[in-house]
Amino acid sequence: MLNTDTRPRRARLSPRISAIVYHSVLTAVSLFFVLPLVWMIVSSFKSKREIFDSPFALPTSLDFTVWTNAWERGDLGVYAVNSVITTVASVSGILVFGLLAAYAFSRLKFRFSKWLLLPFLLGLLLPVQSYLTAQSRLLDAFYILDTRWALILPYIGLGLSLAVFLLKGYLDSLPRELFEAARIDGAGDFRTLAQIVLPLMRPGLATVATFSVLSAWNEFLLATLYIQSDDLRTIPVGLLAFTGKYSTDYPTLFAALSIITIPMVGIYVVFHRQVINGITEGSVH
Amino acid sequence: MKSDRVWTPYLLVAPAVLVFAFVVLLPALLNTGLSFVDWSGTNQMVFVGIDNFTRAFRDDIYLTAYRNTFGYIALTLILEVAVGLVMAGVVTMQGRRTAFYRIAFFVPVMLPMVVIAVLWSFVYSDDIGLINTALRSTGFDALALVWLGNPATALIAISVVSGWIYAGFYMAIFFAALQRIPTHIVEAATLDGASQWRIFFSVKVPMIRPMIEIAVLLCVTGAFQSFDLFYVMTNGGPDHATEIVTTYLVEVVFRFNNLGYGAALATIMTIVVLALGLIFARIRSKVGGVDVEY
Amino acid sequence: MAIRNVLKPGMTAAAIGVTLALAVSGCAPASSSDVVIRIAMGASGDAVDSNFDTLKTQYETKYPDRTVEIIVQEDDVYQTTGLSTLLSSREAPDAYFEWSGPRMRNHVADGDGADISEYLSGDAFDGRFDDGAFTGMDVDGSGIYMVPWTGDVTDIVWYNKTIFSDLGLDVPTTWDEFMDVCAAIKASGVTPIVEGNKDQWTVGNWASHIASRVVGEDVYAETMNGEAPMNSPEMVDAMGYLAEIAREGYINDSVNALPDDEANTQFFLGRAAMIVIGSWLMADAQTDGEGLEFDYFNTPALDGAGDQESVLGISTGFMVNAKSAHIAETMDFLELVASAEGTKLWAQAGLAPMTIDPFDGVDADERTVSLATLMSTAPTVVAPSDSGYDIEVAAAFYDAVANIIGGGNVQDALDTAEKRIAEIR
């Protein structure tokens, strides 16, 4: 099969050529992923007419006033603060409630534990749209529509299914002896939880946290239906309101999109390992 | 293990169970009840039996929405899962440094869907869009279609955006699984003289099959929960060519104020999704605990 | 790593504390004033928004123990899901923007609209409106449920005067002339008409107007209420006019993908010679239309049973929530909206106020004034099907219209709409 004459030459040339081909192809694919984002940033520095007349041209100057303008006129700061509050609150809820429940379901024997666990399985499969009508009426009946609770509570509920099952899986895999030893030492449930379980659970909690942070940060449907006051809106809904208001002011619009996108990409570049881990693992479970 | 106090376990599960019951379980049950009434949200509720359900099966838009949803699933299985698999194959070829690419491919997963939808509406724009200006400037004027305004291309156009977001995500899942294949298996195949592609498709892919099945499940159930892209980019149009179950549901409930009918549509969707989930459940349970390392 | 730090036990407790504190603060009342009144509306431009802020300040200065909250939502959101969600929530608005006619009557039927005729006949509003301003604001001839705000002509053909004069074109008065104008513009390489029909109401409104002209106003009303067939031969004839535009390529290819405001921009940038949209284009023109020479004409005469001089338009106003605990205080605010000073603000912002003195002491654009005259002197005013009639029938009709303007078959499109409407009946 192999021609001994050509083999050394192939061995010398082929890796280099194939490496060039290989990296060119992958660079092209990367461009497909990155180009729309680059185009977005570049366009924010152009005038409306330039965007229309020469979409590919580079901007003539880097004038950041359009960015500050977008930030101020669009109230992006308010939306960002709202997103942070909503995300921190719901993710804290998911982590704390999820860990407590997972510990009980995994390590303690009690009556009805199967029946209490079963509904969370349903939560993994049910799309939120299949009950959001009733959910909105219920939230309204408790006077929490159009407050931060209207997002925090559903986000916690949506995240709990995954958290309970994923953390329970982690706890199930911990050796029994660990807990028995703690018991012999006289540690109660809460002390065991705080001193033994918590440190061991860091990877699992990090996964749940990453997954929940992104879900809450990016959630749109409930945020658009349950929040009507502009000063409580989160980033996705606020941005859409912004595009409705300035739909033809393309530079400002591209600036707003860039302002929202760049920090997230920045955070991702720093924590990419954890982020990719968290999201993929969170989804697969 | 028994707890030190009888009430401790209940205390531990109480917050999770209560919140979950309030925002998921109770609404799910109430929604089933609402399926059997006619109600605008403010007027008197009237019990109508299964009328809402029979109406759903005569509702051409609702049926179209399912056709579109399944079309979307088929397209995203190719554009997300299959493309992701090939990409994972490419980045795991031996002796290549690929960390940069893997990080780049994953970027879109990080961004809010609404931001992506707005951005891609501009990418597809007939006047200022990247695609059509590129086509026109290279002489392919005839190919410069109105991607989102043409019933023939709108669903494909949205699926491409979906692929742009998730191909990198599935690549990451497959990459992690491929990394766990013992090296001696691949080495054995290499010594046999098999090409990289051959090794990938006939050795590696069969070994990560369970992960591929999970990816297919994720892609299918995820499609039923899609909303943001469709809502922002086309809102179901043109002429319902991109109407999916969720966009129609929101229109019926929040625009036409037809809460009972909307609830019935949601109930039917729930049954469909649960049925699909159960079909896959067997596959899933076979896989057991998956341990992804990046 | 930030995420991990949060997981330390002490930090977890702190996180719970923060959660509770933040959540509680999110629920705290916005102000300590005794009376808070909420006014909801869809966005109609920066100028209008800032006018409401001006009135809010005036009101709060005049009544120090009261606070006004202005809730402004994105326009399409407000009309579709926004207002209905607001009204069914516990913190419902005390007053809200709405169109006169069926949409207003639906709110009254739902118990969300208060009869405010007594307030309107009181001193505060005395003489601010002609009786004609209240047309469509009653229910079966009794009561008044709105404080009139603006009169919108919802579709006229705006045209670029420079393009018309360069090509030596006159304003068309019949459909055939209109088609000739389109042909000439197209031959010169410019898009004749640009429409942004992504949300379906722009071409939908125009189709409503054309339908009413062809089938007659009464049959049109019956059709849009779901009482007459959508696919009658007359309706097919009517939609044939739109099909002709699609067939001849007189409209932008992107019609069904383009958002309405982007279509406005294209018109302002001179990329199309005409746009069919409402009088509110004047408000946008103040910021985006600099230097553009443009004017308008009414949809040219067609063949049909309706009044060929009819104007498509609808009056808007503010309804007061019957469930409001502060109806009198709300009326005090609406009094400012309708006052001479308020009127001046709206006219300056490019709107056409419904008060008796819409352009007194204001240097209003002559087109704004002539549009107000067009509306008030029209022999027949027809309401668009989405704001004037049954919302689900309108949705089915607008689907058919979008299909037709996209090149679809007229009969098929209307048959599909009729099938859907039959299901609702």
Side-chain angles (χ1 to χ4, degrees), chain B:
Chain B
M1 190 162 73
K2 287 271 281 201
S3 179
D4 41 352
R5 286 192 186 80
V6 184
W7 48 263
T8 307
Y10 301 102
L11 200 66
L12 289 172
V13 298
V17 168
L18 289 178
V19 174
F20 186 80
F22 179 63
V23 295
V24 180
L25 209 54
L26 195 54
L29 293 173
L30 284 176
N31 193 81
T32 315
L34 277 183
S35 308
F36 299 96
V37 303
D38 182 37
W39 191 36
S40 77
T42 42
N43 68 356
Q44 186 68 44
M45 228 185 255
V46 183
F47 180 78
V48 294
I50 60 162
D51 280 8
N52 287 329
F53 291 93
T54 52
R55 179 180 166 187
F57 286 102
R58 290 193 309 266
D59 187 338
D60 286 336
I61 301 176
Y62 191 56
L63 301 177
T64 304
Y66 275 96
R67 206 169 54 234
N68 291 335
T69 305
F70 283 109
Y72 176 68
I73 289 173
L75 284 165
T76 49
L77 280 176
I78 298 168
L79 294 168
E80 297 174 7
V81 182
V83 169
L85 185 63
V86 171
M87 278 161 48
V90 173
V91 295
T92 49
M93 280 183 170
Q94 280 173 320
R96 307 284 187 204
R97 301 170 66 86
T98 56
F100 168 78
Y101 305 119
R102 281 182 279 121
I103 295 168
F105 297 161
F106 202 82
V107 169
V109 183
M110 287 289 296
L111 305 176
M113 203 79 109
V114 172
V115 171
I116 292 172
V118 172
L119 176 59
W120 274 84
S121 302
F122 288 121
V123 172
Y124 281 128
S125 159
D126 192 36
D127 308 291
I128 63 166
L130 262 184
I131 297 176
N132 281 2
T133 4
L135 288 169
R136 290 204 180 100
S137 63
T138 48
F140 293 99
D141 291 50
L143 287 178
L145 302 174
V146 184
W147 304 102
L148 293 174
N150 186 338
T153 56
L155 189 64
I156 301 172
I158 293 183
S159 304
V160 166
V161 182
S162 199
W164 184 77
I165 302 169
Y166 286 113
F169 164 77
Y170 288 107
M171 182 213 65
I173 289 182
F174 296 138
F175 177 82
L178 288 168
Q179 292 296 92
R180 288 199 313 275
I181 296 176
T183 44
H184 65 88
I185 295 178
V186 179
E187 275 162 12
T190 315
L191 289 176
D192 286 345
S195 72
Q196 294 253 26
W197 278 116
R198 182 112 188 239
I199 295 172
F200 178 66
F201 283 112
S202 47
V203 180
K204 291 180 176 174
V205 168
M207 291 198 71
I208 61 162
R209 202 190 136 137
M211 194 51 90
I212 295 171
E213 284 165 354
I214 289 178
V216 169
L217 171 68
L218 278 177
C219 188
V220 172
T221 52
F224 275 94
Q225 303 189 31
S226 301
F227 178 77
D228 307 4
L229 279 187
F230 290 81
Y231 180 78
V232 176
M233 293 177 77
T234 59
N235 199 8
D239 200 16
H240 303 287
T242 59
E243 194 80 75
I244 54 169
V245 182
T246 48
T247 52
Y248 186 51
L249 202 62
V250 168
E251 169 150 308
V252 166
V253 173
F254 291 93
R255 182 158 178 223
F256 300 150
N257 283 325
N258 213 331
L259 271 65
Y261 186 47
L265 299 186
T267 304
I268 297 171
M269 178 178 74
T270 307
I271 294 168
V272 172
V273 175
L274 286 181
L276 285 171
L278 288 175
I279 292 170
F280 277 104
R282 222 167 49 89
I283 302 167
R284 230 179 164 187
S285 65
K286 268 199 303 198
V287 179
V290 215
D291 184 25
V292 183
E293 291 291 334
Y294 198 75

Side-chain angles (χ1 to χ4, degrees), chain A residues 76-114:
Chain A
L76 296 184
V78 176
Y79 301 144
V81 168
N82 290 333
S83 272
V84 169
I85 294 173
T86 309
T87 305
V88 168
S90 49
V91 173
S92 313
I94 292 169
L95 289 176
V96 175
F97 298 168
L99 182 64
L100 295 178
Y103 176 74
F105 284 128
S106 169
R107 289 289 151 190
L108 305 178
K109 282 204 182 98
F110 56 103
R111 288 187 68 185
F112 309 118
S113 69
K114 280 243 163 58

